[in-house]
Amino acid sequence: MKKTTLFDIISPIMIGPSSSHTAGAVRLGLLAKNIYKNKPRKVTFKLYNSYAHTGKGHGTEKGLLAGVLGLSVDDRRIKDIFDSELAKTIQYEFQYADNFKQHPNAVEMTFEGDTKMFIAGESVGAGEIAIRKINEFNVKLTGKYNTILIVYKDMPGMISQVSSILQYHNKNIASLNCDRNAKGKEASMLISLDGSVDDTIIETIQEIPEVYFVSYIEKLEN
Amino acid sequence: MTIINTFEQLLDECITKNKKIYEIAQENAAEEADITVEQVRVFTNKTLFAMKEAIQSGMASKELSMSEMCGQDCHRLQKRYKKTRAILGGTFEKIVEYALATSEENIRMGKIAACPTAGSCGIVPAALIAVSEDYNHSEREQINALITAGEVGRIISAKVALAGAVAGCQAECGAASAMSAAAICQLQGGNVSQILNAAALALKNILGLTCDPVAGLVEVPCVKRNPFLAIHSITAAELALADIKSCIPFDEVVDAMEQTGALMSPTLKESSQAGLAATKTALEIQKKIFG
Ligand code: SF4
């Protein structure tokens, strides 16, 4: 766990009432939006356990939607987001379920638009969040670092190819995690970075023949 | 930079360098985040500003929360104090009003600064801002006090996560009252030892406080707990300013809080399975809200 700082103790400035159920929900929506990138036509949110049971009283649904629409945790529009013009620009649906295997504050989001994407995450406390799944890949994204997501044909040597590109551009890797999908044909790599990267790095990675897909996921502002 | 994770280390550092807590805290926070001390103070001032805004909006609103359990108590207090003065005088009136105003703003989805959490967001600002208004403390002094409070919270959280689900409400409103006691002591000219004793006294006298919110919402008992613990923090500061010491050193009080939190039944740690949340009335309320 990241050490708590002075800043963490006297913040965030946020819309109430709950850091995990309101601010955390906004941040989950925001990070999912950064992952999906394009504006979705429709988003389906499936809330689990405590999120499903006490979400209404905490504005969890409002927070999730507001995040997907790009509002930050301290935006006063969150409260009346359902009645806003902004909310009319996409379709959304909420579903509710219980599953003891899931985190108490878990949500699954299905984005539909030009592409379809499944993103699942958890609000782990004090407004901190973790995205745990993108499509069929297990990941861990906290929104604290700029991150590169790479989906590629599972084969040896990919990690060193990518890291040499980053090294060439003088980028420092904060953490790296990999996963394979069930079939074992595709793999995913998540690289968190100190600092940011520009398009040329992403394009260079994209040019590796075995790479199916690269995406640059920006960190959250607060 | 010396890494500080205990109050003993903090006290040593203050004595060796002949500095106040806020000076050490802002220098270390700046160095760790690779920013300037001035930027740390700007960040703190933003929180202070958000706190003042929340008090203002909260004082002016009567809007109920979604559950309709809370939202009008600050209004009730203001109405009473227009006619009758509080037993303890004007500053007391302000503190309880400001604490309720902030907490009610939180539960009606208004904008607040978590300090350290959203449920306990009314304690530090109520005491800090009311006392600053009545004793003419400048913005600079208010920032010093808020940094002092933040440093106290940070060091507590180095041992115990400040979350009701981890250690009960002693780790949320309890920690907030310790932070607030430190802030008030700083404002009123307390020395480092007095500040740390104020925080220790506040925390020591709230150990064991459970987290049993009705219907799982951050409303009952949370909202009204904020004015109670804001006043609690003033008592602690007053004792400490008279050089009354906590017999148990602050670090050991935090250890005791950690142990108490670990021993506390999970049913009393934010899961709403026992305590107030399991009362007949609470269950009826829960049924009414969620069906
Ligand atoms: S009772 Fe629980 S939810 Fe309410 S303020 Fe305390 S710790 Fe937070």
Side-chain angles (χ1 to χ4, degrees):
Chain A
M1 201 182 109
K2 197 174 147 252
K3 218 162 72 277
T4 306
T5 66
L6 174 73
F7 308 107
D8 299 330
I9 300 291
I10 57 170
S11 71
I13 296 169
M14 56 172 269
I15 299 303
S18 159
S19 52
S20 56
H21 285 62
T22 323
V26 178
R27 299 181 84 237
L28 280 165
L30 271 170
L31 194 53
K33 171 196 83 87
N34 287 0
I35 295 167
Y36 188 72
K37 284 203 176 321
N38 304 318
K39 184 153 181 137
R41 196 176 68 247
K42 181 175 178 189
V43 183
T44 308
F45 302 91
K46 192 167 184 183
L47 284 70
Y48 283 93
N49 306 335
S50 173
Y51 255 26
H53 293 294
T54 68
K56 267 209 183 64
H58 285 128
T60 305
E61 290 99 329
K62 291 178 184 179
L64 288 167
L65 179 65
V68 165
L69 291 167
L71 304 193
S72 55
V73 294
D74 65 345
D75 196 312
R76 288 190 192 274
R77 290 175 292 175
I78 294 170
K79 184 178 180 182
D80 298 313
I81 190 74
F82 291 143
D83 306 321
S84 70
E85 286 302 312
L86 194 58
K88 296 195 181 106
T89 60
I90 64 167
Q91 295 169 28
Y92 53 88
E93 189 190 322
F94 294 99
Q95 298 169 355
Y96 306 90
D98 271 315
N99 184 343
F100 71 91
K101 286 186 189 148
Q102 293 262 19
H103 189 274
N105 304 325
V107 61
E108 293 173 352
M109 296 169 265
T110 308
F111 282 66
E112 289 167 84
D114 296 340
T115 53
K116 194 167 174 177
M117 198 182 259
F118 173 86
I119 302 170
E122 306 157 357
S123 177
V124 298
E128 302 288 312
I129 56 153
I131 296 287
R132 289 297 191 176
K133 228 172 166 89
I134 302 177
N135 290 335
E136 66 269 45
F137 295 107
N138 294 315
V139 297
K140 190 181 179 214
L141 264 179
T142 60
K144 287 194 179 128
Y145 293 96
N146 290 318
T147 304
I148 303 174
L149 167 68
I150 308 170
V151 177
Y152 58 98
K153 185 170 163 204
D154 194 16
M155 53 150 223
M158 184 59 84
I159 294 175
S160 70
Q161 271 197 63
V162 173
S163 55
S164 63
I165 294 172
L166 291 168
Q167 201 180 1
Y168 177 79
H169 288 272
N170 217 354
K171 293 294 164 194
N172 199 18
I173 297 178
S175 77
L176 183 138
N177 88 42
C178 293
D179 189 42
R180 286 178 183 154
N181 73 356
K183 289 166 275 163
K185 285 184 188 132
E186 284 183 4
S188 72
M189 196 189 308
L190 263 185
I191 306 165
S192 303
L193 301 152
D194 293 326
S196 61
V197 303
D198 49 43
D199 293 348
T200 46
I201 298 179
I202 302 299
E203 282 159 20
T204 319
I205 296 172
Q206 183 81 71
E207 278 162 19
I208 304 174
E210 292 81 8
V211 166
Y212 299 128
F213 167 81
V214 189
S215 175
Y216 179 51
I217 303 161
E218 278 178 75
K219 68 174 179 183
L220 299 176
E221 286 307 320
N222 51 31
Chain B
M1 150 184 163
T2 329
I3 293 176
I4 295 170
N5 277 325
T6 66
F7 291 104
E8 199 184 339
Q9 289 168 346
L10 179 64
L11 181 64
D12 279 351
E13 188 80 352
C14 288
I15 292 170
T16 347
K17 296 200 170 151
N18 193 22
K19 283 183 174 166
K20 300 290 254 176
I21 292 173
Y22 73 86
E23 291 176 299
I24 301 282
Q26 66 191 13
E27 283 163 21
N28 287 353
E31 193 173 329
E32 213 177 328
D34 203 11
I35 56 177
T36 64
V37 165
E38 193 44 41
Q39 284 171 308
V40 176
R41 294 183 66 85
V42 168
F43 181 97
T44 309
N45 200 20
K46 271 194 196 140
T47 291
L48 192 61
F49 184 78
M51 287 173 163
K52 289 175 184 170
E53 257 190 349
I55 289 174
Q56 243 177 23
S57 337
M59 292 284 282
S61 177
K62 275 204 295 184
E63 191 184 322
L64 289 166
S65 64
M66 283 172 278
S67 74
E68 300 188 345
M69 284 191 286
C70 304
Q72 301 189 328
D73 293 336
C74 183
H75 172 74
R76 289 192 180 97
L77 264 183
Q78 291 180 72
K79 221 167 96 186
R80 166 172 158 82
Y81 292 148
K82 272 194 194 112
K83 285 203 243 99
T84 325
R85 300 321 300 261
I87 298 167
L88 297 176
T91 310
F92 176 91
E93 292 173 8
K94 271 191 185 174
I95 294 172
V96 286
E97 281 175 356
Y98 289 0
L100 274 181
T102 309
S103 287
E104 290 186 345
E105 199 52 17
N106 181 49
I107 50 97
R108 62 169 79 96
M109 291 192 82
K111 187 167 157 179
I112 55 97
C115 191
T117 62
S120 60
C121 69
I123 296 167
V124 173
L128 195 160
I129 292 162
V131 169
S132 294
E133 283 175 359
D134 287 3
Y135 291 82
N136 295 316
H137 294 301
S138 68
E139 188 176 279
R140 207 179 56 79
E141 289 171 300
Q142 293 171 41
I143 294 172
N144 296 347
L146 187 49
I147 293 175
T148 307
E151 183 69 353
V152 164
R154 185 189 71 77
I155 297 176
I156 298 174
S157 80
K159 262 192 205 132
V160 196
L162 304 185
V166 175
C169 200
Q170 53 172 2
E172 290 202 10
C173 289
S177 75
M179 292 163 60
S180 172
I184 298 311
C185 218
Q186 163 66 36
L187 280 176
Q188 300 295 80
N191 60 35
V192 176
S193 159
Q194 288 170 334
I195 292 170
L196 296 180
N197 273 293
L201 286 169
L203 193 62
K204 195 170 96 174
N205 284 288
I206 207 69
L207 289 185
L209 192 66
T210 61
C211 169
D212 50 1
V214 171
L217 301 175
V218 195
E219 298 191 30
V220 177
C222 323
V223 170
K224 296 186 197 84
R225 184 163 288 170
N226 276 260
F228 275 99
L229 286 187
I231 296 299
H232 175 83
S233 79
I234 303 288
T235 310
E238 286 291 348
L239 298 189
L241 286 165
D243 276 329
I244 296 174
K245 294 204 164 46
S246 168
C247 282
I248 309 297
F250 197 4
D251 287 312
E252 292 178 39
V253 175
V254 178
D255 290 340
M257 176 173 105
E258 184 188 20
Q259 186 193 42
T260 307
L263 291 171
M264 204 181 274
S265 162
T267 57
L268 291 166
K269 289 191 277 193
E270 217 179 285
S271 59
S272 297
Q273 291 166 329
L276 290 173
T279 56
K280 184 169 142 272
T281 304
L283 295 174
E284 280 165 14
I285 293 173
Q286 184 169 351
K287 204 159 167 218
K288 217 174 87 201
I289 303 170
F290 297 115

